[in-house]
Amino acid sequence: MTKPGNPTVSLDHVSRWYGNVVAVNDITFDFQPGVTGLLGPNGAGKSTILHLLAGFLRPSAGAVRVLGRPAWGDPRLFRRVGLVPESEAVYGFLSARAFAVASARLQGLPDPQAAATRAIAWVGLEADQDRPMKGYSKGMRQRAKIAAALVHDPQVLILDEPFNGTDPRQRLQLMALLREMAAEGRTIIFSSHILEEVERLADEVLVILAGQLAASGDFQVIRRLMTDRPHSFSLLTTDDRRVASLLIGRPEVRAVTVAEEGLEVHTTDYAAFTACVAPVIRDAGVTLLQLRPSDESLESVFSYLVRR
Amino acid sequence: MTRALLTLTARQLLGRRRSLFIVLLALIPVLVAAVYRLAGGQTDPLPIEFAAGILDTLVIAAVLPLTALVFGTSALGAEIEDGTAVYLLTKPVARWRIVLVKIAVAAGATIALILPPAVLASVIVLGGDEAALTPALAGAVAVGAVVYCALFVALSVRTSRALLIGLAYVLIWEGIVPSIFDVTRWISVRQYMLGTADLISGAPRDVLAADLGGGPALIAAACLTVLTAFAATRLLQRFEIGQRL
């Protein structure tokens, strides 16, 4: 779960529990410069991990280090770390610009106005920068939060579900910005429960399920694992028994169950099965009425990765 | 850095609705004084006794602690409750500095909104006589505002029920307990304020009903402020985001 090199952020056998509830269970991972995505369903423990990384939670066990120093209990670390929380709360009475300027002043920057101008431009909020944030849409608030977190040009940027509420254009713009920042040597860590967001942005992925590290590494490897896992499909045809006998003989089909309402097909090769199923049924002169994956929830995908 | 923190806190604290409530509360002593003046009651009680009564019963025992309660619990507690404290706590600002600024802004706002009406009430009653009571008021309000706000800022970091617990504290501990147990005067902000007012005005103790001398009152007030500010700092240093944010 670790890579060689000099990590900017590291989790070393980190656990965090609340009473009897284990929120994060024995996670070890080294974060390098670049974009790392934490992927997992809601409630998996992604936010807890990000808060541990940001020094906002004390680990119950293990050690969290950021830029070589313990993350917990050291506000000076925020000179080099930026955090974009998931919460939508902002100072509604401030404009995005005033928010960015206040953040720059609290960072002790020599030219807060210039820093705010640069950060506002990064997130593309120039047109609305002087309006109070209480009138902002969810996406605009999100961008104002990101601007405030970027104002001191942090070396490590931690973002909790940063694309919530943003429209597709804003999302692409923010992704381009984060990629650009990562290309300049910064460490960007973000969480998402949406596979496509992680796929588009992250170089490295941590798959989190029930507080555990289900898988980690290059996104393409994770994606392959997800695609190659056993899949189940529900089929409804005009002749289920005939289709069952045809499918059971195929190498990519592991099992076929004849149920009261159609067939349940288990396959070991997602791509091969989806490519062959329609021609096989058509060639047999049977009509395919329905074909749908029966275990495509993100939870089931993650559960498979954990079982591996 | 401190200026940004001061500005942010003041803008958040002095919201229209909250300030209006405090202004209305602060006008109560003025109304009572005006009624006394209009009624023409100049002999029983004497103006000095009535003014001291307003100072003790209304300003020191009720209006000031309630104002400090609202501002003290909001200065940091409101940010913690609405989630915006995360923006403050993700800055390289020492926690003691945050606590001190929050106490200073809350106490400053309390003094600014309570002192002018309190002075006005005493002027209405005394009609310019016994001018020594005005600096006594100022001293008492300043001491009370700082100690109460330190207490309530610390309480708001500790619990989301700070307003309720603070109200119970003002009514029970400050209002009732010292009259039953004499020893508790040493840990009563009201007694610190009365002692301070007594020290400045030089009025007889029975007029202001001060149970503590001015010197001991100021020392005790300083000790309690430092202790609660220290406690608030420690609580903030150990504050975890899942705790309430």
Side-chain angles (χ1 to χ4, degrees), chain A residues 18 50 59 63 91 220 225 245 257 277:
Chain A
Y18 300 92
L50 293 184
Y91 297 105
Q220 297 310 322
L225 281 174
S245 67
T257 311
V277 63

Side-chain angles (χ1 to χ4, degrees), chain B residues 1-90:
Chain B
M1 189 184 284
T2 303
R3 206 185 83 191
L5 195 52
L6 276 167
T7 312
L8 202 57
T9 306
R11 284 196 67 179
Q12 193 170 40
L13 198 60
L14 298 171
R16 201 176 299 166
R17 213 180 314 170
R18 191 181 287 135
S19 299
L20 185 66
F21 168 73
I22 298 299
V23 166
L24 291 175
L25 189 69
L27 285 176
I28 293 173
V30 178
L31 285 175
V32 173
V35 168
Y36 172 81
R37 194 72 177 177
L38 289 172
Q42 300 291 310
T43 53
D44 187 22
L46 291 168
I48 182 66
E49 290 171 341
F50 195 77
I54 289 181
L55 171 63
D56 184 6
T57 315
L58 278 180
V59 178
I60 290 178
V63 175
L64 184 127
L66 292 179
T67 304
L69 176 65
V70 172
F71 284 144
T73 54
S74 305
L76 185 52
E79 282 180 80
I80 293 173
E81 291 309 314
D82 70 16
T84 51
V86 69
Y87 303 115
L88 187 54
L89 298 176
T90 49

